[in-house]
Amino acid sequence: MDQEQEDILKYDQGTFHPGFSVDCVIFGFHANQLRVLLLKMKGADVWALPGGFVFKDEDVEEAANRVLQLRTGLDNIFLRQFHLFGKPDRSQPDFNAKLLRQRQIPFAPNHWFLQRFITLGFYALVEYSRVTPRPDTNSEACEWWDLQQVPALMQDHRQILDKALEALRLQLAYQPIGYNLLAEKFTMPELQRLYETILGKQLDRRNFQRKILAYDILERLDERRSGVAHKAPYLYRFNLEKYQQALEQGLEGGW
Amino acid sequence: MDQEQEDILKYDQGTFHPGFSVDCVIFGFHANQLRVLLLKMKGADVWALPGGFVFKDEDVEEAANRVLQLRTGLDNIFLRQFHLFGKPDRSQPDFNAKLLRQRQIPFAPNHWFLQRFITLGFYALVEYSRVTPRPDTNSEACEWWDLQQVPALMQDHRQILDKALEALRLQLAYQPIGYNLLAEKFTMPELQRLYETILGKQLDRRNFQRKILAYDILERLDERRSGVAHKAPYLYRFNLEKYQQALEQGLEGGW
DNA sequence: AACCATTGCGTAACTTGGACACAAAGTACG
DNA sequence: CGTACTTTGTGTCCAAGTTACGCAATGGTT
């Protein structure tokens, strides 16, 4: 894939799979807060989820990966589709027409960008510190936002974001989470803060440790995190093999 | 929606949302077996999932409902999207061209039916006895198949079916299942057989009863199922209010 | 050097889950 | 009509897991 960002709006009819887009809810974790990466649309006071279109012969998952790569600079990221948003009124052709005019791109009334779009929502978990946010040609900013302080979003992007969070919480119940969101080495309290912010509630320190260790996906290192205040906590890292296995098989089940 | 089934292939370019379809995995429960409703394609020795296209201004969920209604005669059914299948090679334009020729419909090489299709998979749970299977214009049969004996399916429909079953099993772990699949009144053993066939394993009768009753979504009636062999079991029905609530809030969680 | 928030490890009380026992109910068959 | 057999309703026991804490050790702070 070309690193150089091209102007999506200048593509011809027929370049992309028609009437279909992908939108990514990119989660990061910083300063004990869950954050999402958002784009500020040019000439409008709304923000948007990073999204894109699917090339005519491109895998849909691959398109989402491409979007992620372009906005964050990262590759090989945890990315999972969670819902398709297909209401007919979710598209706003007037808004899109305004965009085209603003960009001084000539267009016919049946321009592909003005059609109704169905969008597939993905959520991604990325390591905050490794991300280099990059706006696309239609946006003037690309920034992290605290989940508590997300600004007004265009179209139904707020709904998409909410549903992504719901899916993330659901994943927590039957699959491990953390790899890709935390640095390679991390402490138990850090992992706990992550779980707490995703769940939106506090957990008992000692019981958390017991439960997460029982999953048998962590390795304790002989190192401790030094320099910080108070007693130096041990560092852990995920055992990738077991982590992957837990992702596939699920952690518990209920039945 | 028009009850009368029209011939989909005779629609013009521009009738449907382009390059997009829905496919439904319709589960029923009969003779202690989980079954799926399949269509036999005309003039080909393969079966297919009931599917359809989305009208230009139609909600995607609504389109799936329409498909369900046309094939089963039922309305207001439990229906849930579970995965989008978007690989570029999943479409088989040659197969579709053959279909058009067979049906003696003239077509240009860029006919909408020959394009690449992205499909959204839904699964539905229906009450077997209330279904009246109806083939569509492209199929010569519409029948229930035992999950263990599903015949060869066209394209990636086998994958879609497998993924639907996976999603169904996952739902079992955190949401109740049974309403819509069973008759209004049912016995505990019947409910247990349902769980057992979905999970593909046997459960202890007594522990099952305790666990399912703990969910607090069932009401035991003063009636018993009479006429059958052996001791007459009590009849139960779902408390719809609590059932609905459990669907939304989830049953357990893990955290 | 005393202080104190935090970490590592442990334990008692309680809940949940799995394996199993037994009596009651209803059909089948001699 | 009574005995055998299968199935249902209810309950118990024990192991495993969960929850709610206690306490000493650590390492920077004052």
Side-chain angles (χ1 to χ4, degrees), chain B residues 79-138:
Chain B
L79 184 68
R80 177 172 296 185
Q81 56 160 280
F82 64 91
H83 196 79
L84 182 121
F85 299 83
K87 292 209 183 306
D89 58 353
R90 66 170 297 281
S91 301
Q92 299 174 339
D94 292 349
F95 181 89
N96 288 6
K98 201 178 108 190
L99 254 174
L100 287 170
R101 271 193 296 273
Q102 228 162 44
R103 304 279 315 287
Q104 303 191 329
I105 298 168
F107 62 95
N110 68 341
H111 190 279
W112 64 269
F113 191 56
L114 304 181
Q115 307 300 305
R116 166 193 177 189
F117 278 92
I118 286 172
T119 199
L120 182 62
F122 285 80
Y123 69 92
L125 305 178
V126 304
E127 199 180 317
Y128 183 85
S129 62
R130 295 180 53 211
V131 172
T132 320
R134 257 179 242 140
D136 65 17
T137 43
N138 296 314

Side-chain angles (χ1 to χ4, degrees), chain A residues 17 19 55-60 81 83-84 86-88 116 118 170 172-174 195 201 211 253-255, chain B residues 17 19 55-60 81 83-84 86-88 116 118 170 172-174 195 201 211 215 253-255:
Chain A
H17 194 87
F55 287 117
K56 225 162 177 35
D57 276 311
E58 187 184 27
D59 184 3
V60 171
Q81 58 160 279
H83 197 78
L84 183 120
K87 292 207 183 308
R116 166 192 177 190
I118 286 172
L170 195 59
L172 215 56
Y174 71 101
Y195 269 71
K201 70 174 179 188
K211 187 161 179 173
W255 289 96
Chain B
H17 193 87
F55 286 118
K56 225 164 176 36
D57 276 309
E58 188 184 27
D59 184 2
V60 171
Q81 56 160 280
H83 196 79
L84 182 121
K87 292 209 183 306
R116 166 193 177 189
I118 286 172
L170 195 58
L172 215 57
Y174 72 100
Y195 269 71
K201 68 175 178 188
K211 187 161 179 173
Y215 286 165
W255 289 96

Side-chain angles (χ1 to χ4, degrees), chain A residues 38-47 99 102 134-143:
Chain A
L38 297 177
L39 296 171
K40 170 94 194 315
M41 301 305 287
K42 271 182 189 163
D45 213 25
V46 288
W47 292 70
L99 254 175
Q102 230 165 43
R134 258 181 242 139
D136 64 18
T137 44
N138 296 314
S139 42
E140 56 190 40
C142 181
E143 287 170 19

Side-chain angles (χ1 to χ4, degrees), chain A residues 179 183-187 217-221 223 234-240 243:
Chain A
Y179 187 68
E184 198 206 331
K185 300 174 182 180
F186 52 88
T187 67
I217 53 171
L218 291 180
E219 283 171 5
R220 193 170 87 173
L221 308 177
E223 272 173 280
Y234 280 108
L235 287 172
Y236 291 81
R237 72 166 163 231
F238 289 106
N239 179 321
L240 269 197
Y243 188 93

